[in-house]
Amino acid sequence: MITISRVHELRAHCDTARATGKSVGFVPTMGSFHLGHRSLMRRARDENGLVVVSLFVNPLQFAPSEDLSAYPRDLAGDAAVAEAEGIDVLFVPSTEEMYPQPVHTTVRVDGLTAGLCGRSRPTHFDGVTTVVAKLFSIVGPCRAYFGRKDFQQLMVVRRMASDLDLPVEVVGCPLVREPDGVAMSSRNRYLDPDDRRAATVLSRALHEAATAVSDGERNPDAVHRALTGLIATEPRVRLDYAEVVDTSDLAPVTTIAGEVLVAIAAYVGRARLIDNMTVSVTNTGLDVDLGVVVQESEV
Ligand code: AMP
């Protein structure tokens, strides 16, 4: 594995790989790697000749009140993980390298960013799409791997790539959970042991909602009540939102039909955590996707 910190070097490296017939797989991250990140790396490794992982804590996607300075950073540990996953290039630009001059260009996806996390983080997705557009421009034609844990982000990035005709195939990958069900997140490091136990209520609420839908519930308000009722029993958890939306436009549904996303965001201790599941209702049956749970031995 080589580590690259300059934009022009990464661009040249990817161009050379493509010129020799290799496909490029790209995994954008903010580092502090866990098995969620590693699952994206493994998929990218399986499917491509050259795999690039970027590690950049992007200031543009943090509001002034958010955790930019506290965000966990562990470059040496991350480099070891990426190397162990067989990554070819770790791209670690400085903030000055990514933003050498004041940013006067913002890439903004309307509509999909209005609800869910966009409501409480109104500048967040503009920061995400602006940096991801820059990264896609630097890496060039590639497959880019994103986790369904950040379902709204995946939809927003996919729409950006489509609207702008970017030569990037955006690949969505399963949400990865800890053995106790908590969705893996770099921000789980903020949780003390009591918060960590409390955080399990989010995935337990999703399981309860999944059971209700499997038992025939099709009223999103009833699912919402089931989610909020259970989460309210946990005093350490302050709900931001629990919503049932259509996966295509992320707008609230009036009945559970087709493919819907059940998404939650909540504050636990210092962390703001998100979690979700998708439910597909078809003529032939029901498919609930809660992601994958890793074994204790893998953590
Ligand atoms: P981050 O470093 O948090 O910005 O995440 C980088 C990528 O990893 C994004 O595409 C995330 O959706 C993905 N990711 C983070 N956590 C998980 C998880 N628990 N399961 C699957 N993908 C994840």
Side-chain angles (χ1 to χ4, degrees):
M1 186 177 83
I2 59 167
T3 300
I4 293 179
S5 57
R6 303 299 306 274
V7 164
H8 69 275
E9 282 177 23
L10 179 62
R11 179 171 277 135
H13 199 88
C14 293
D15 284 346
T16 304
R18 279 184 297 268
T20 59
K22 288 182 178 169
S23 64
V24 176
F26 176 42
V27 183
T29 80
M30 298 206 300
S32 209
F33 294 150
H34 48 65
L35 283 162
H37 298 111
R38 297 178 81 143
S39 69
L40 307 184
M41 294 181 203
R42 286 172 195 174
R43 175 95 181 260
R45 181 69 283 167
D46 280 352
E47 297 181 352
N48 300 282
L50 180 86
V51 180
V52 177
V53 172
S54 66
L55 195 173
F56 180 59
V57 182
N58 172 35
L60 284 192
Q61 67 193 71
F62 290 78
S65 60
E66 292 180 348
D67 57 342
L68 173 61
S69 58
Y71 197 83
R73 290 165 170 87
D74 175 15
L75 179 54
D78 285 348
V81 168
E83 176 111 56
E85 294 296 346
I87 300 309
D88 301 300
V89 179
L90 187 63
F91 179 52
V92 192
S94 64
T95 303
E96 295 69 36
E97 181 71 8
M98 287 301 282
Y99 303 117
Q101 53 193 356
V103 178
H104 284 200
T105 305
T106 298
V107 178
R108 176 178 174 74
V109 174
D110 283 330
L112 291 173
T113 58
L116 303 178
C117 289
R119 195 163 293 124
S120 47
R121 306 184 75 192
T123 58
H124 170 68
F125 287 113
D126 289 1
V128 170
T129 41
T130 300
V131 79
V132 172
K134 284 167 68 74
L135 291 167
F136 283 0
S137 159
I138 298 163
V139 171
C142 64
R143 295 191 187 94
Y145 297 82
F146 288 82
R148 288 163 69 95
K149 146 108 184 324
D150 300 88
F151 193 93
Q152 186 175 20
Q153 170 176 276
L154 167 64
M155 301 304 285
V156 167
V157 167
R158 187 173 272 156
R159 183 60 189 250
M160 172 190 78
S162 165
D163 281 352
L164 298 180
D165 298 308
L166 302 181
V168 176
E169 182 191 338
V170 176
V171 181
C173 301
L175 186 161
V176 179
R177 298 182 180 282
E178 303 270 359
D180 66 359
V182 172
M184 287 200 162
S185 167
S186 305
R187 289 188 168 99
N188 290 349
R189 296 186 189 196
Y190 296 151
L191 303 173
D192 68 25
D194 288 334
D195 290 336
R196 184 66 182 69
R197 263 188 300 279
T200 62
V201 79
L202 303 182
S203 55
R204 284 189 278 120
L206 289 172
H207 274 282
E208 195 163 290
T211 304
V213 177
S214 299
D215 290 346
E217 184 60 73
R218 294 291 178 269
N219 179 352
D221 295 333
V223 170
H224 181 265
R225 276 194 298 278
L227 291 169
T228 54
L230 186 61
I231 293 169
T233 63
E234 185 44 77
R236 288 176 171 270
V237 176
R238 183 165 62 85
L239 191 65
D240 179 10
Y241 66 76
E243 291 200 41
V244 185
V245 299
D246 194 295
T247 54
S248 63
D249 58 4
L250 305 184
V253 294
T254 51
T255 181
I256 295 175
E259 196 185 37
V260 300
L261 171 75
V262 182
I264 301 175
Y267 298 92
V268 188
R270 287 200 299 125
R272 181 178 181 280
L273 304 180
I274 58 174
D275 202 343
N276 73 75
M277 68 174 176
T278 53
V279 179
S280 296
V281 185
T282 61
N283 292 339
T284 49
L286 182 84
D287 182 47
V288 176
D289 183 357
L290 276 150
V292 294
V293 181
V294 300
Q295 304 293 310
E296 198 72 63
S297 57
E298 293 176 87
V299 180

